[in-house]
Amino acid sequence: MSSFLSQKVPIVFVPGLFGSMNDQIIPGTGDWSFGLARTAYEPFIRMLENMGYRLNEQLFVAFYDWRRPIGISAEHSLVPVIQWAKQVTGASHVNLVCHSMGGLVARAYVQGDTYQNDVDQLLVFATPNAGSPISYCYWAGGKLPRPVPGKRNVLEIYMNVYLAYLEQGRPFKRVQAIQRHFPSLLDLVPAADYGDYLLEKKNGAESFVPYSSMVVKNHYMDLLNSTMGLIYERNIRITVVAGIGQETIHYLRTVPSLSPTKWVDGRVVGSISSSAGDGSVMAKSVFTLEGDKYYVEATHLDILYKSEPLLRQLLGS
């Protein structure tokens, strides 16, 4: 191995929601791959290879079962890949490059009790560090509002593929199926740091539903954000990158729900969007995590390759 390559701190890439697929998640899909998200992630891997990182030599992918709670994914999927990367390279530290939900998996490790002091940099792209209203829509009601006819969120496309699989050959109630088979989605609903996000219309007037009074709360992320100081105490350099310029759901308009099992905090009838996001995640949610902060005008998926100059600078490539 050349001295140039041997000096590189190895990268462990942690993909986002729906960015890992194998037979355990959907039978017949084979061994671990990027699955539904391959058109986004395979070009990114090639970009890193062009920067001098060879796959499975200095560049490793931490696939995980995104249906499971985030803490479990960190313990059972990320930690073994970090250990593998250190064993292969002989390095004592790795850099974690994370997209979307992958950033939360990484945070679960570096903020956890089993952290092994082996991460140099944590680079997160489009990670919903305070959650996303889109996740509330699916967790509580099984669908997104349709404020703009024909305009679909990338999460909705991937989610519909997965829900179509769940529907095959079995009795199907969408909300119950999501909550049973996809418990990690609760880890992605807005947390306290997002702020109030349900705008309820009652008796002709609209007012925000206080997060403190809601049934659907993100207790996991509330705890994670309350202990984020551990990352700085552990001397990990943090870079946080958010996409902007895309219409993104910021708030949800609701009316009282009559169902005891669906829309428990209000039935979503519309949304209020903002361009201060990447189409899936608001920049304010990404920047809940403190660190060196950067904006990129990009969608939720193309933020990775549009950040190539920044990555080269941070990784010394």
Side-chain angles (χ1 to χ4, degrees):
M1 183 182 297
S2 71
S3 60
F4 172 72
L5 290 176
S6 64
Q7 291 172 1
K8 284 182 174 292
V9 176
I11 290 174
V12 174
F13 174 58
V14 193
L17 182 62
F18 299 110
S20 303
M21 186 60 67
N22 71 355
D23 282 331
Q24 185 177 5
I25 299 173
I26 296 181
T29 55
D31 293 331
W32 283 118
S33 72
F34 290 124
L36 298 172
R38 62 184 179 276
T39 56
Y41 291 141
E42 288 178 357
F44 180 65
I45 293 299
R46 289 195 295 271
M47 186 184 87
L48 292 175
E49 289 179 318
N50 289 336
M51 291 166 57
Y53 293 88
R54 295 173 182 166
L55 189 61
N56 297 330
E57 293 184 18
Q58 300 87 25
L59 169 61
F60 305 84
V61 180
F63 294 112
Y64 60 96
D65 186 342
W66 34 262
R67 303 169 303 174
R68 305 174 78 183
I70 286 170
I72 292 177
S73 292
E75 178 183 356
H76 292 282
S77 299
L78 175 57
V79 171
V81 175
I82 292 175
Q83 293 172 342
W84 174 38
K86 292 191 297 181
Q87 181 180 5
V88 168
T89 62
S92 60
H93 289 72
V94 301
N95 290 328
L96 298 180
V97 177
C98 316
H99 180 242
S100 194
M101 184 181 183
L104 300 176
V105 174
R107 286 184 59 193
Y109 171 59
V110 300
Q111 293 179 229
D113 294 336
T114 60
Y115 176 61
Q116 296 297 306
N117 192 33
D118 52 8
V119 174
D120 185 22
Q121 294 192 64
L122 173 64
L123 300 91
V124 299
F125 296 81
T127 292
N129 289 300
S132 169
I134 294 171
S135 298
Y136 169 81
C137 292
Y138 279 111
W139 182 263
K143 62 181 181 179
L144 285 180
R146 178 66 57 231
V148 182
K151 186 172 183 179
R152 290 186 177 273
N153 180 281
V154 65
L155 175 62
E156 183 180 16
I157 296 170
Y158 291 163
M159 182 70 81
N160 286 342
V161 172
Y162 181 63
L163 291 177
Y165 158 70
L166 288 182
E167 287 183 274
Q168 292 178 356
R170 69 189 81 182
F172 185 79
K173 292 184 178 180
R174 178 168 286 206
V175 172
Q176 291 89 332
I178 288 173
Q179 294 182 3
R180 177 182 176 185
H181 296 285
F182 200 167
S184 67
L185 198 60
L186 184 59
D187 295 341
L188 299 175
V189 303
D193 285 328
Y194 189 93
D196 299 337
Y197 64 96
L198 296 184
L199 193 58
E200 183 181 58
K201 186 173 185 179
K202 185 186 295 185
N203 300 323
E206 284 188 323
S207 61
F208 280 105
V209 178
Y211 178 81
S212 59
S213 69
M214 290 179 62
V215 175
V216 178
K217 292 189 178 76
N218 193 334
H219 295 295
Y220 181 79
M221 196 174 296
D222 287 339
L223 177 61
L224 198 65
N225 287 341
S226 72
T227 61
M228 73 169 67
L230 288 171
I231 310 177
Y232 319 114
E233 293 173 11
R234 292 169 174 175
N235 297 314
I236 300 170
R237 180 181 175 185
I238 306 168
T239 301
V240 188
V241 185
I244 57 170
Q246 310 298 316
E247 286 300 305
T248 306
I249 293 177
H250 191 185
Y251 303 115
L252 298 171
R253 283 196 157 102
T254 68
V255 295
S257 172
L258 301 178
S259 170
T261 58
K262 290 178 63 177
W263 303 118
V264 291
D265 291 300
R267 179 169 62 87
V268 175
V269 294
S271 63
I272 299 174
S273 294
S274 166
S275 61
D278 61 20
S280 294
V281 179
M282 290 293 297
K284 73 170 188 178
S285 180
V286 179
F287 289 149
T288 297
L289 179 63
E290 293 295 331
D292 296 331
K293 298 179 179 179
Y294 298 87
Y295 291 99
V296 177
E297 191 158 332
T299 68
H300 191 68
L301 293 182
D302 66 20
I303 189 173
L304 289 170
Y305 68 81
K306 285 193 173 183
S307 299
E308 180 178 1
L310 176 62
L311 274 170
R312 287 186 177 275
Q313 173 188 336
L314 294 171
L315 299 174
S317 300

